[in-house]
Amino acid sequence: MNLDEYRRAARAWLLENTPTEDPPEGEAVARAKQFMARLHDAGYSGITWPRQWGGQGLTQAEERAFAAEARAFSLPTYIFSIGLGMTGPTILDRGDDEQRARWLRPLLRGEEVWCQLFSEPGAGSDVASLQTRAVRDGDHWVVNGQKVWTTNAQYADWGLLLARTDVDVPKHKGMTMFVIDMRQQGVTVKPLKDMSGRSGFNEIFFDDAVIPDTDRVGEVNDGWGVAVTTLLHERLSISAGVGMSGQRDNPASLEALRKVVDTGDPLVRDELVELHIRSRALALFNQRLAQETNAGIFPGARGSAAKLLLAELTLFQTDLATRLVGPESVVDGNPLGFAVSLAPAMALGGGTNEIMRNIVGERVLGLPPGPRVDKTVPFKELKVGTQT
Ligand SMILES: Cc1cc2nc3c(=O)[nH]c(=O)nc-3n(C[C@H](O)[C@H](O)[C@H](O)COP(=O)(O)OP(=O)(O)OC[C@H]3O[C@@H](n4cnc5c(N)ncnc54)[C@H](O)[C@@H]3O)c2cc1C
């Protein structure tokens, strides 16, 4: 099938299968799982992932063609976004074959939900200051500590956990990556309410939670290397909108604004053109990164530039929309108000705009790095988090 045929088939499938109404109360997760299974059966889940692990073994061209069609729909895939965009690609890149065989197909079919357990109350931008401890006990590890801002953990079966395994070495050298069973007794998940009224993320407590050593990803104390892989995928997938709803329902999109504002006003048109240009520039940049990835060229820190551009575009878009629509945009129940309340999260989750600028400055533009006085000091001697 050539690309045009692929695209037409994808559009026809989406038209026939994407739900057009909200699910009944309490059924959203079950319905989302059913939808993912159908998406996988139809060949549209894991489009570029190897067939051996449940993917479709196709190229970025098909992935992009499907994404372009999917943008016109609202797919109920949000609860899988962390698995599809971040933890799954990490297992693909850094896991062993047994781990790939065990986890990737159920993820692609929506049978299992994943979350990413990196941030802590004392370790966000500087995630290498984390204090959650994993201590080895024979063939398993015992975990104690706390994570926070964990997206979708309330639905998760598995979590990708970065934990401290050695306090006698500098902070980046004493962490290990694990996959943890979120359904066990030693894991407590408490949803947090954000200012939009949703509970998009959670705080998590580990009390003697257990992980078999077979669920370690990568070598002991090489967790930072694995985390860098996850963070790269995170920034690329956020900027490409993996698992997110399409523009169809975005009340701040150009299409939506054209319906509700006076496009005959030259000043309004000027602002809408600006929105169009910035959206297109980001789409083309993402397309270029995807093409390069397909050709074996590692996007590296440029993924942070894409994520920064999306965060800035989102804030620009919602600010513009509220200015054009006026006070009624924040009246209770207006979807634009909801979008506005979510927009600042884009400048924080996956790394803040300031951190993205630091990364782009150092790794893309080659500017001198900021001072790092704690680079060679053993972790136990640092004053971080609750450690005094
Ligand atoms: C919607 C959302 C979803 C999230 N989901 C997850 C998740 O699933 N899993 C997970 O592990 N985490 C998640 N996070 C957490 C996210 O990664 C952190 O919020 C982020 O890394 C910032 O950490 P912090 O909140 O502790 O802020 P801090 O690190 O305390 O930063 C506070 C301020 O200081 C600035 N700052 C800090 N260091 C520097 C520096 N070196 N140079 C310049 N400025 C600096 C920051 O930019 C920020 O403005 C999520 C966050 C959000 C908002």
Side-chain angles (χ1 to χ4, degrees):
M1 179 183 319
N2 68 31
L3 210 55
D4 281 341
E5 289 164 350
Y6 181 87
R7 205 169 163 148
R8 272 199 299 278
R11 189 181 316 150
W13 189 89
L14 286 163
L15 269 171
E16 198 173 321
N17 290 279
T18 309
T20 48
E21 283 169 16
D22 288 340
E25 181 95 15
E27 282 188 33
V29 172
R31 295 280 181 100
K33 288 184 168 192
Q34 286 162 8
F35 179 80
M36 272 305 285
R38 288 208 306 280
L39 196 69
H40 187 260
D41 288 340
Y44 299 121
S45 168
I47 292 173
T48 58
W49 293 21
R51 293 186 75 84
Q52 187 184 5
W53 311 122
Q56 312 300 333
L58 298 173
T59 69
Q60 289 286 346
E62 283 86 4
E63 173 97 65
R64 271 203 316 282
F66 182 77
E69 289 304 325
R71 261 193 287 282
F73 297 84
S74 262
L75 309 190
T77 51
Y78 177 70
I79 62 165
F80 307 106
S81 55
I82 303 287
L84 296 172
M86 298 152 211
T87 64
T90 305
I91 304 288
L92 254 184
D93 285 357
R94 305 295 297 254
D96 60 34
D97 280 357
E98 264 175 45
Q99 294 172 341
R100 294 183 183 115
R102 181 155 150 225
W103 284 314
L104 296 182
R105 187 180 292 271
L107 159 63
L108 289 176
R109 292 190 59 74
E111 289 160 7
E112 293 175 346
V113 178
W114 285 69
C115 65
Q116 178 189 327
L117 300 151
F118 287 15
S119 304
E120 297 185 4
S125 298
D126 182 15
V127 72
S129 286
L130 61 84
Q131 287 181 278
T132 294
R133 287 294 303 270
V135 176
R136 191 161 188 158
D137 183 7
D139 62 358
H140 63 273
W141 297 77
V142 179
V143 182
N144 283 284
Q146 183 191 351
K147 297 284 174 182
V148 73
W149 316 131
T150 316
T151 303
N152 289 338
Q154 67 269 52
Y155 315 114
D157 301 286
W158 300 102
L160 188 70
L161 170 75
L162 189 59
R164 181 134 332 259
T165 40
D166 191 343
V167 294
D168 293 319
V169 292
K171 61 182 183 178
H172 288 95
K173 299 196 167 140
M175 292 176 284
T176 303
M177 191 70 84
F178 301 94
V179 172
I180 188 165
D181 176 356
M182 295 293 289
R183 305 282 185 195
Q184 63 176 291
Q185 219 183 9
V187 177
T188 307
V189 178
K190 292 192 176 167
L192 295 165
K193 210 166 236 181
D194 65 33
M195 70 175 176
S196 72
R198 296 186 321 165
S199 288
F201 41 47
N202 305 264
E203 53 184 347
I204 318 290
F205 299 89
F206 302 106
D207 297 290
D208 290 334
V210 174
I211 305 176
D213 188 52
T214 46
D215 294 354
R216 171 168 47 81
V217 182
E219 297 301 318
V220 173
N221 290 344
D222 187 30
W224 185 246
V226 183
V228 168
T229 305
T230 313
L231 293 172
L232 170 71
H233 284 296
E234 176 167 28
R235 284 152 198 173
L236 287 171
S237 72
I238 290 177
S239 64
V242 172
M244 305 300 281
S245 268
Q247 285 286 309
R248 191 193 70 169
D249 291 336
N250 181 352
S253 69
L254 182 59
E255 292 71 23
L257 290 176
R258 282 172 68 168
K259 288 187 197 140
V260 293
V261 298
D262 172 16
T263 51
D265 179 337
L267 293 177
V268 169
R269 281 164 59 168
D270 200 38
E271 303 243 53
L272 294 181
V273 167
E274 168 84 18
L275 174 59
H276 175 70
I277 291 171
R278 289 178 67 162
S279 308
R280 282 298 295 151
L282 175 61
L284 290 171
F285 185 47
N286 276 327
Q287 187 173 329
R288 178 173 167 175
L289 293 183
Q291 274 168 348
E292 288 183 3
T293 308
N294 207 28
I297 301 168
F298 192 56
R302 286 175 307 147
S304 296
K307 199 261 161 183
L308 173 63
L309 287 171
L310 177 67
E312 292 195 324
L313 174 65
T314 307
L315 289 171
F316 170 79
Q317 192 171 9
T318 47
D319 173 62
L320 173 64
T322 38
R323 277 192 294 109
L324 293 181
V325 173
E328 77 182 68
S329 60
V330 287
V331 168
D332 202 19
N334 187 327
L336 184 52
F338 182 65
V340 170
S341 67
L342 286 181
M346 193 57 86
L348 301 171
T352 66
N353 283 6
E354 290 76 25
I355 296 301
M356 295 304 104
R357 285 200 176 85
N358 282 351
I359 294 173
V360 172
E362 286 181 27
R363 314 245 174 86
V364 181
L365 303 175
L367 300 175
R372 293 197 176 99
V373 289
D374 54 0
K375 215 174 162 182
T376 53
V377 182
F379 180 77
K380 65 181 179 195
E381 291 173 21
L382 297 178
K383 292 195 182 347
V384 292
T386 54
Q387 188 168 268
T388 49

